[in-house]
Amino acid sequence: MELIQTLPGNPMPLGASVVNGGVNFAVFSRNATRVILEFFKNSEDCEPYAQIEFDPEVNRTGDVWHVFVPGIKPGDLYLYHVDGPFEPSAGHRFNVKQLLFDPYAKALTPVSLFHNLPPVYRTPVDKTDVELAESHYHFQFPKCVVVNDSDFDWQGDKPLNIPLSESIIYETHVKGFTAGKNANVSNPGTYAGFIEKIPYLKSLGITSVEFLPIYEFDEYENTNVNPRTGERMKNYWGYSTIDFFAPKAGYSADKTPGGCVREFKTLVREMHKAGLEVILDVVFNHTAEGNEHGITLNFRGFENSVYYTLVGSHKEYYMNFSGCGNTMNCNHPVVEAYILDCLRYWVLQYHIDGFRFDLASILSRGPDGTIMQYPPLLNAISEDPVLHSTKIIAEPWDAGGAYQLGGFPGGRWAEWNDRFRDDIRRFWRGDEYVSTSAATRISGSSDLFALSGRKPWHSLNYITCHDGFTMNDLVSYNGKHNEQNGEGNRDGTDSNWSYNHGYEGPTANPHIEKLRSKQMRNFILTLLISQGTPMLLGGDEFRRGQQGNNNAYCQDNDISWFDWTNVNLNDRLITFTKRAIALRKAHAVFRRKDFFHGDKAGASPDIQWYNIDGSNPDWNKLSRFLAFRLGGSYCINDDGTPDNDFYIAANTDRQDAMVTVPTLTDGKRWYRVADTSIDADDAIVLTDKAEKLRAQERYIVPAGSLIILIAK
């Protein structure tokens, strides 16, 4: 092996840091007895060309092992070995033969670890297994890449940080967005390919794109087989992180070491030039290392007893509040610091605008697994000065039974509102006596968020998301069809609140197709005129389907990928979506800063609810109908003028409804902005092109339709 000169180095910052003349390496391990750093010429190499063993007298400060290596440069490849006690019952799983990723590695080479595992490979679960496992460690292993964060030209870019109250989020998958049919991009399924589709996203009018996980993961971790094709399934969604500081190299058209860093930064920069934010879906609740039978990648090999929540009396086992084998010990000070370092890194070095935290209730659990009243991590994220303008959005539950919707701790957190999803789905399906619940959701879910002092925008509203049916499938299937996942159709939720309108799946019946299209218009418009922060699932605007699969986490194929043929086939729905977005953005009354107050002495109310005949509704009897008037004078538009009043009525019954419309004063008249029963481009129009009603006192709201009138 080559001999390499070293200097003591510095304990901070952790990771591999490029400085003048070389690179400083620093890693945390409290109970290690030896730390070895290895360098490789190529990603495919199994043997290093050089090796450095840290001297604990020179290269250790507290629990941090560190060394400075002159001559190492960006693009160089490295891995670690760490020795120490192998005592699973005490929480220690050190094994000096095991290759380890740097937990702070800023890029990995695009090689699949799981795809290259020898068939006989097994992870040691006790001392007697170590010798067997060690005989199979020499296989192709991805390498950490030294990255210089200062060598990218941001051209003056910085995070946009559009206020949540002004945001319209579009959730999508980096690869799937351009990997499918007729994407017409030069590099399908990559960051570079996504850049080519930015004009389309800008044309929709959305403000922010929320990416499914792009932190490095290994799609070959999934070993299930498609029973129809015999094809091995993949971890398509990416909710199984192996490196929290690295963008996924497999999504990069540039396959050179560290090329993914430059390419993803370019994507963020170009998104910002178009006025579009980038929000990352992050998975700090667990890692890809799995349970006691899982593979050691990094955290387990550096300090298992710190990074993971272990069973107190049997520390060889992992608490599993994630449903994925292990749970990160998020409120341990070391892990808390790690997560904060990671979030700051993505904001400072990638200009990320926000984060959506998967199974975020785990972030409120203590070392013993119980929910903490004041979780240090959540408060730290909320109050961190670097992150203070950054969006933080929680999925406020976990797989261990925690459900914290409306009461998520930590101050300024927004939350995915699954109550909005379910109540609006049931309302438009025509379920009886759901109107009251729908009214609460449309008006901002004050029942959930007001008590904690938060605002309407803290409710992140959605009808569909990656997890479940697409909107097209929501109106096309009565049940899930996940047979191709290889789990006997047992996976995925059965609580879909869907309706196929008379036929299961695709149909050429024009009547059914009209009903489905109208229902999608109802969903999209309801989402965009509701108080709160709306989130659209990517592709819903042109009826992207998944063949009835409501858990397509493993379908890295045409089931999940966008078929851009549908853009032309469903251009009318795209136009409808654009205009619905434009309506929300043009009128502050749909994005209020505060909850409604109702009646005020001596003033018209900011919201007034009506029955079909114009009387006050009896909420205990109201069914399959909802109508309300929004007082525009309480809201100021971007041009500084008070907003218009709006009358909105929804009829989910099977019969048309003759609605009594509220009387206007001051010479104003009602104009029709939207009627989802119209199967044409004028189902919704811009407010300056709204048509004045001939009969100002009444309007026929067709069965299963939504209307919007504007007063002017």
Side-chain angles (χ1 to χ4, degrees):
M1 287 192 182
E2 294 183 15
L3 295 177
I4 294 183
Q5 177 189 1
T6 66
L7 296 172
N10 295 303
M12 292 291 168
L14 292 168
S17 305
V18 178
V19 293
N20 291 335
V23 175
N24 189 82
F25 294 88
V27 291
F28 161 80
S29 186
R30 177 165 297 162
N31 291 290
T33 56
R34 296 168 64 205
V35 173
I36 299 167
L37 175 62
E38 293 184 336
F39 296 97
F40 299 81
K41 293 289 187 183
N42 302 294
S43 180
E44 297 79 13
D45 291 350
C46 293
E47 299 294 336
Y49 73 86
Q51 184 181 87
I52 298 169
E53 181 163 350
F54 290 59
D55 181 346
E57 297 298 322
V58 177
N59 303 113
R60 182 172 185 174
T61 302
D63 295 333
V64 179
W65 301 71
H66 49 83
V67 67
F68 178 80
V69 187
I72 297 297
K73 59 188 182 303
D76 285 355
L77 310 178
Y78 69 100
L79 289 169
Y80 283 96
H81 292 273
V82 178
D83 200 3
F86 187 86
E87 299 174 5
S89 61
H92 303 312
R93 292 181 176 271
F94 294 99
N95 186 348
V96 73
K97 299 291 185 178
Q98 175 68 59
L99 291 166
L100 299 175
F101 299 126
D102 178 355
Y104 279 77
K106 296 171 183 175
L108 299 184
T109 57
V111 174
S112 170
L113 168 65
F114 286 89
H115 192 62
N116 290 303
L117 281 176
V120 293
Y121 177 84
R122 60 182 294 183
T123 296
V125 295
D126 57 46
K127 291 182 179 180
T128 61
D129 292 329
V130 173
E131 184 176 348
L132 175 63
E134 288 175 355
S135 65
H136 301 297
Y137 280 136
H138 291 284
F139 53 86
Q140 203 172 102
F141 203 93
K143 310 301 188 294
C144 303
V145 183
V146 175
V147 171
N148 183 2
D149 287 311
S150 64
D151 68 353
F152 183 78
D153 183 6
W154 279 103
Q155 300 175 2
D157 177 77
K158 59 182 180 180
L160 299 180
N161 294 140
I162 298 168
L164 264 176
S165 59
E166 307 296 319
S167 298
I168 300 169
I169 298 173
Y170 185 92
E171 187 198 36
T172 193
H173 190 285
V174 166
K175 178 179 181 179
F177 194 65
T178 63
K181 297 176 182 177
N182 297 313
N184 295 321
V185 298
S186 299
N187 296 285
T190 66
Y191 305 125
F194 200 97
I195 291 172
E196 296 184 57
K197 288 294 185 182
I198 289 176
Y200 170 79
L201 293 170
K202 184 174 177 62
S203 73
L204 288 178
I206 60 162
T207 67
S208 315
V209 174
E210 180 179 306
F211 288 128
L212 267 69
I214 60 94
Y215 288 0
E216 189 64 72
F217 66 93
D218 194 324
E219 57 265 58
Y220 288 97
E221 178 187 0
N222 189 349
T223 59
N224 288 344
V225 174
N226 186 323
R228 294 184 184 176
T229 67
E231 178 185 11
R232 178 175 175 175
M233 298 287 90
K234 294 182 182 178
N235 176 10
Y236 171 67
W237 285 351
Y239 288 92
S240 194
T241 309
I242 62 175
D243 188 342
F244 290 90
F245 281 76
K248 181 164 178 57
Y251 290 168
S252 179
D254 182 351
K255 300 302 183 184
T256 61
C260 56
V261 173
R262 295 183 295 272
E263 193 168 315
F264 186 67
K265 286 181 178 180
T266 302
L267 169 57
V268 175
R269 186 186 67 195
E270 297 308 305
M271 290 277 284
H272 285 173
K273 285 181 181 178
L276 298 172
E277 291 185 314
V278 176
I279 300 171
L280 300 184
D281 193 335
V282 293
V283 192
F284 290 111
N285 57 78
H286 76 282
T287 78
E289 291 188 298
N291 62 16
E292 58 275 8
H293 299 289
I295 184 170
T296 297
L297 301 170
N298 43 22
F299 301 104
R300 178 178 291 163
F302 275 99
E303 198 59 69
N304 182 67
S305 64
V306 168
Y307 284 113
Y308 292 113
T309 304
L310 307 176
V311 177
S313 57
H314 296 278
K315 292 186 177 180
E316 63 269 34
Y317 300 113
Y318 296 80
M319 293 188 184
N320 185 18
F321 300 110
S322 66
C324 298
N326 63 53
T327 302
M328 289 284 278
N329 191 10
C330 296
N331 284 291
H332 186 288
V334 170
V335 185
E336 176 189 339
Y338 175 83
I339 294 173
L340 287 170
D341 285 346
C342 182
L343 297 173
R344 294 184 193 121
Y345 176 75
W346 285 92
V347 170
L348 295 174
Q349 299 301 334
Y350 284 90
H351 296 194
I352 296 302
D353 300 277
F355 302 93
R356 178 264 188 189
F357 294 78
D358 179 67
L359 298 182
S361 287
I362 284 177
L363 278 62
S364 69
R365 292 187 182 272
D368 61 354
T370 59
I371 298 292
M372 306 175 75
Q373 185 175 4
Y374 300 106
L377 174 61
L378 297 182
N379 287 312
I381 293 173
S382 179
E383 298 297 329
D384 187 83
V386 172
L387 305 176
H388 207 257
S389 296
T390 304
K391 291 178 176 64
I392 51 173
I393 303 167
E395 184 182 37
W397 51 80
D398 64 25
Y403 186 78
Q404 298 173 295
L405 178 62
F408 195 77
R412 63 185 182 89
W413 288 79
E415 302 175 33
W416 271 29
N417 188 347
D418 64 331
R419 291 279 299 279
F420 181 96
R421 176 198 65 197
D422 293 348
D423 289 343
I424 299 303
R425 284 186 181 190
R426 293 175 60 220
F427 175 68
W428 278 114
R429 193 173 66 168
D431 290 13
E432 289 188 311
Y433 304 109
V434 188
S435 298
T436 301
S437 298
T440 304
R441 302 299 151 239
I442 290 170
S443 59
S445 296
S446 61
D447 62 325
L448 299 173
F449 294 96
L451 186 63
S452 60
R454 283 180 286 177
K455 301 294 184 180
W457 69 75
H458 287 110
S459 172
L460 199 139
N461 301 332
Y462 62 103
I463 306 293
T464 54
C465 66
H466 71 277
D467 190 2
F469 278 146
T470 66
M471 193 176 290
N472 178 74
D473 289 359
L474 183 65
V475 302
S476 303
Y477 294 90
N478 282 349
K480 65 186 182 184
H481 295 270
N482 301 351
E483 291 83 2
Q484 293 192 67
N485 291 357
E487 300 181 42
N489 203 32
R490 294 183 299 274
D491 61 305
T493 182
D494 292 310
S495 300
N496 296 296
W497 313 115
S498 61
Y499 178 49
N500 67 14
H501 294 85
Y503 188 85
E504 190 76 351
T507 178
N509 185 310
H511 176 68
I512 293 177
E513 278 297 282
K514 281 188 176 182
L515 289 174
R516 290 175 176 177
S517 293
K518 181 177 66 172
Q519 190 73 313
M520 292 187 70
R521 293 193 291 270
N522 290 331
F523 281 133
I524 290 170
L525 192 54
T526 302
L527 174 66
L528 288 163
I529 58 92
S530 294
Q531 304 301 323
T533 303
M535 185 185 77
L536 286 162
L537 174 62
D540 278 353
E541 75 279 6
F542 56 74
R543 296 192 63 175
R544 180 177 74 89
Q546 294 180 165
Q547 302 177 24
N549 193 318
N550 75 350
N551 189 34
Y553 76 99
C554 57
Q555 299 294 337
D556 190 2
N557 50 46
D558 286 342
I559 290 177
S560 297
W561 298 345
F562 282 43
D563 182 352
W564 289 89
T565 307
N566 289 330
V567 171
N568 294 325
L569 294 176
N570 297 286
D571 58 339
R572 183 170 289 169
L573 186 61
I574 294 176
T575 298
F576 183 91
T577 304
K578 289 179 179 179
R579 291 178 181 176
I581 290 172
L583 176 68
R584 179 181 181 87
K585 293 172 77 171
H587 293 280
V589 73
F590 298 121
R591 40 190 172 83
R592 289 171 51 92
K593 302 293 195 297
D594 295 293
F595 290 109
F596 292 107
H597 297 287
D599 292 326
K600 287 187 174 181
S604 60
D606 50 15
I607 189 169
Q608 176 68 51
W609 301 93
Y610 297 97
N611 210 333
I612 293 177
D613 61 3
S615 62
N616 292 329
D618 183 340
W619 293 106
N620 293 318
K621 297 180 179 180
L622 190 66
S623 182
R624 294 180 179 154
F625 181 80
L626 195 62
F628 56 99
R629 177 176 176 174
L630 298 176
S633 61
Y634 294 90
C635 301
I636 304 300
N637 289 324
D638 293 342
D639 62 3
T641 61
D643 206 348
N644 305 78
D645 281 10
F646 285 85
Y647 174 77
I648 299 170
N651 175 22
T652 69
D653 204 350
R654 297 181 180 180
Q655 304 296 323
D656 297 348
M658 176 69 78
V659 173
T660 300
V661 179
T663 302
L664 291 173
T665 58
D666 300 329
K668 293 182 178 180
R669 294 291 183 266
W670 288 114
Y671 292 73
R672 186 181 67 204
V673 172
D675 184 335
T676 61
S677 70
I678 300 173
D679 188 21
D681 284 343
D682 58 353
I684 185 171
V685 297
L686 301 179
T687 52
D688 60 351
K689 296 182 179 180
E691 178 185 358
K692 185 169 70 173
L693 299 189
R694 292 182 180 179
Q696 289 285 312
E697 300 82 15
R698 58 189 176 275
Y699 191 101
I700 296 177
V701 183
S705 300
L706 173 67
I707 68 156
I708 299 179
L709 309 179
I710 185 173
K712 60 179 182 176

